[in-house]
């Protein structure tokens, strides 16, 4: 499954712009951002070592150097500023966000590894060892917080004005700090202390599916989400936090339980087309365990890819194949559940870079069940439901491989008007859902029930009961 050429060319042409409007070019209102450059380097670094791009290694390296050099221009280097070491959020901004350290330092260290340019290494150390350290330590000293918590203040501008809230998304910076532990051993103890204090503070927040903590004295000293009822999360913020924590401690109870809690929130009568196996929705009401929007936050599929590759292989496979088939639609930050049409006519650099990383070198998962499926499975067509009610509607057909068994009377609850021959039982790998339609030899069946079978806390396959649809 090669990376779509349009993804590669998009990054080469437009990074570090945040958004691009098709047929018009970069969105100059948003402009350029250091984190967009950082994500572009992350993708290009993977592409540099992939066989698909062997003949373009020189141009990739040149683009990485161009982007890394530009990131340096966005860093505050005035030691008299409290924000020293931070990167302004967008070009010509005065605010530096703590999470942007996590989004840029890995790119700088990769550029350093590729080029040996010590300026990149020194910039990374200044960002994490000075700015991020200060975002954790200084608020309690300066009275921004009432005490030391261990989290990172959200932002600090060049006029020394603080945004005191501490976002769980900042756990993404654990990746950068972990890399510096290896590349800057002289300061390893400092980085490890920053990491441990942050993990200890943020753990209860992310376990409670929260987005940020608002510390005293000006806040209420409590964890929060968004929405009028404090009930809704941004999926990408949680995804960034999860991958940062995963890189630090693996598939721990915190990572597993948080991932599974959000991934278990599926389609609803209001949003029947949603499939978390493709991607997570942009807004999720975790109190009601329901979606709060009709679109996927496409970047989350890329952010979650590593966790899914190792611990949710059916979703990893289904997501990659869906996105590869609809690669143009998923360049936009918000493709709709039902038909992947964009919420807004803006292609997003972060989205393309993360999905590009997901697809670089992607191989379909190989498990004992997929081996059986590949050799013994039957080829069917799956139609995902997009509208419920009197007039059900379905999306395009996609290939589905399954082990097909006839229904057994003793295992079925026969409904009035149906006989045992109207039922099928499938064993599948894909994350199919209740009410989806499956076509076998020209006959349509509705999925009536799903049962997951797990092995070592991971879904190994699914058993689906199907009933013939009446015309």
């Amino acid at each position: 499954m090669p990376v779509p050429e349009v993804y590669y060319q998009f990054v080469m042409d437009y990074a570090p712009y945040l958004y691009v409007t098709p047929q018009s070019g970069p969105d100059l209102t948003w402009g350029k951002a250091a984190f967009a450059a950082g994500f572009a380097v992350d993708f290009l670094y993977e592409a540099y070592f992939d066989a698909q791009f062997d003949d373009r290694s020189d141009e990739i390296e040149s683009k990485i150097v161009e982007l890394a050099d530009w990131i340096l221009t966005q860093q505050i280097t005035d030691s008299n500023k409290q924000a020293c070491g931070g990167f302004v959020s967008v070009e010509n901004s005065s605010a530096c966000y703590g999470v942007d350290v996590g989004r840029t330092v890995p790119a700088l260290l990769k550029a350093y590894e590729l080029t040996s340019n010590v300026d990149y290494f020194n910039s990374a150390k200044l960002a994490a060892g000075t700015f991020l350290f200060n975002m954790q330590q200084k608020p309690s000293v300066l009275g921004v917080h009432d005490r030391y918590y261990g989290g990172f203040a959200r932002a600090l501008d060049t006029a020394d004005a603080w945004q005191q809230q501490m976002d769980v998304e900042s756990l993404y910076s654990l990746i950068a700090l972990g890399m510096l532990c290896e590349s800057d051993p002289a300061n390893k103890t400092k980085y490890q202390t920053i990491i441990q204090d942050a993990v200890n503070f943020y753990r209860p927040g992310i376990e409670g599916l929260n987005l940020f903590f608002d510390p005293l004295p000006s806040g209420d000293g409590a964890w929060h989400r968004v929405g009028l009822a404090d009930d809704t999360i941004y999926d990408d913020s949680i995804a960034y936090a999860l991958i940062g924590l995963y890189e630090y401690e693996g598939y721990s109870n915190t990572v597993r339980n948080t991932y599974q809690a959000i991934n278990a929130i599926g389609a609803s009568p209001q949003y029947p087309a949603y499939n978390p196996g493709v991607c997570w929705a942009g807004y999720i009401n975790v109190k009601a365990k329901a979606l709060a929007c009709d679109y996927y936050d496409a970047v989350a599929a890329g952010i979650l890819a590593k966790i899914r590759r190792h611990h949710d292989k059916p979703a990893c496979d289904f997501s990659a194949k869906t996105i590869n088939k609809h690669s143009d639609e998923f360049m936009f930050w918000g493709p709709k559940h039902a038909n992947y049409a964009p919420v807004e006519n803006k292609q997003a650099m972060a989205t393309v870079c993360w999905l590009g990383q997901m697809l670089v070198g992607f191989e379909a998962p190989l498990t004992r069940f997929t081996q059986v499926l590949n050799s013994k499975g039957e080829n069917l067509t799956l139609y995902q439901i997009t509208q419920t009610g009197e007039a059900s509607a379905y999306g395009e057909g996609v290939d589905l491989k399954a082990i097909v068994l006839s229904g057994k009377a003793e295992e079925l609850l026969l409904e009035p008007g149906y006989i045992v021959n109207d039922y099928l039982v499938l064993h599948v790998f894909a994350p199919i859902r209740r009410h989806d339609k499956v076509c076998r030899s020209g006959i349509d069946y509705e999925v009536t029930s799903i049962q997951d079978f797990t092995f070592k806390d991971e879904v190994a396959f699914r058993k689906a009961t199907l009933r013939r649809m009446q015309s």
Side-chain angles (χ1 to χ4, degrees), residues 140-406:
S140 59
V141 175
L142 298 174
V144 178
H145 300 168
D146 66 316
R147 62 182 176 86
Y148 178 72
Y149 289 94
F152 307 108
R154 177 178 294 168
L156 174 62
D157 69 18
T158 53
D160 296 341
W162 294 81
Q163 294 183 36
Q164 68 166 10
Q165 295 82 5
M166 293 179 281
D167 303 309
V168 296
E169 185 178 12
S170 290
L171 282 169
Y172 184 67
S173 293
L174 299 186
I175 298 173
L177 291 162
M179 293 174 69
L180 281 166
C181 284
E182 299 298 322
S183 60
D184 185 22
N187 291 297
K188 183 175 182 178
T189 300
K190 181 178 184 179
Y191 300 132
Q192 288 177 327
T193 300
I194 297 172
I195 290 171
Q196 196 56 61
D197 285 357
V199 169
N200 290 341
F201 170 73
Y202 284 117
R203 190 181 302 281
I206 191 172
E207 287 180 342
L209 304 182
N210 293 294
L211 291 178
F212 67 93
F213 183 82
D214 200 3
L216 299 167
S218 56
D220 58 4
W223 289 99
H224 292 280
R225 305 182 187 101
V226 294
L228 294 177
D230 205 33
D231 54 8
T232 301
I233 61 168
Y234 307 128
D235 74 295
D236 58 335
S237 294
I238 299 295
Y240 279 120
L242 281 176
I243 190 59
L245 195 57
Y246 178 73
E247 290 284 3
Y248 172 66
E249 63 185 23
Y251 204 52
S252 63
N253 289 338
T254 299
V255 176
R256 181 184 65 250
N257 294 341
T258 303
Y259 173 80
Q260 291 181 352
I262 299 172
N263 209 53
I265 299 172
S268 65
Q270 185 178 7
Y271 302 112
Y274 177 65
N275 188 337
V278 174
C279 185
W280 284 353
Y283 295 88
I284 302 175
N285 184 325
V286 294
K287 277 189 178 179
K289 296 183 180 179
L291 306 184
C293 70
D294 65 348
Y295 62 87
Y296 293 112
D297 190 5
V299 70
I303 300 168
L304 294 169
K306 189 169 187 177
I307 293 175
R308 289 183 158 183
R309 188 179 307 126
H310 297 293
H311 305 284
D312 189 356
K313 294 180 179 66
C316 174
D317 186 53
F318 194 75
S319 177
K321 289 176 178 176
T322 300
I323 290 165
N324 186 265
K325 186 175 182 178
H326 297 276
S327 55
D328 288 351
E329 293 97 320
F330 274 86
M331 293 178 73
F332 296 85
W333 63 264
K336 291 190 175 183
H337 306 150
N339 56 12
Y340 310 129
V343 171
E344 186 178 16
N345 190 34
K346 290 184 188 298
Q347 297 168 326
M349 184 60 61
T351 298
V352 173
C353 291
W354 272 105
L355 297 183
Q357 287 186 75
M358 178 182 74
L359 296 174
V360 169
F362 175 84
E363 294 181 357
L366 183 63
T367 70
R368 289 184 178 180
F369 178 74
T370 60
Q371 288 176 311
V372 173
L373 198 61
N374 289 334
S375 63
K376 305 292 185 182
E378 185 176 330
N379 293 317
L380 310 175
T381 305
L382 170 68
Y383 298 88
Q384 297 185 81
I385 193 162
T386 59
Q387 178 181 311
T388 57
E390 293 184 5
S392 296
Y394 301 89
E396 64 181 7
V398 297
D399 295 337
L400 177 70
K401 191 172 281 288
I403 304 296
V404 184
L405 304 173
S406 299

Side-chain angles (χ1 to χ4, degrees), residues 16 33-43 67 71 103-104 107:
F35 79 82
F39 289 154
V41 171
D42 289 339
F43 163 64
L67 292 168
I71 291 173
R103 295 164 166 169
T104 50

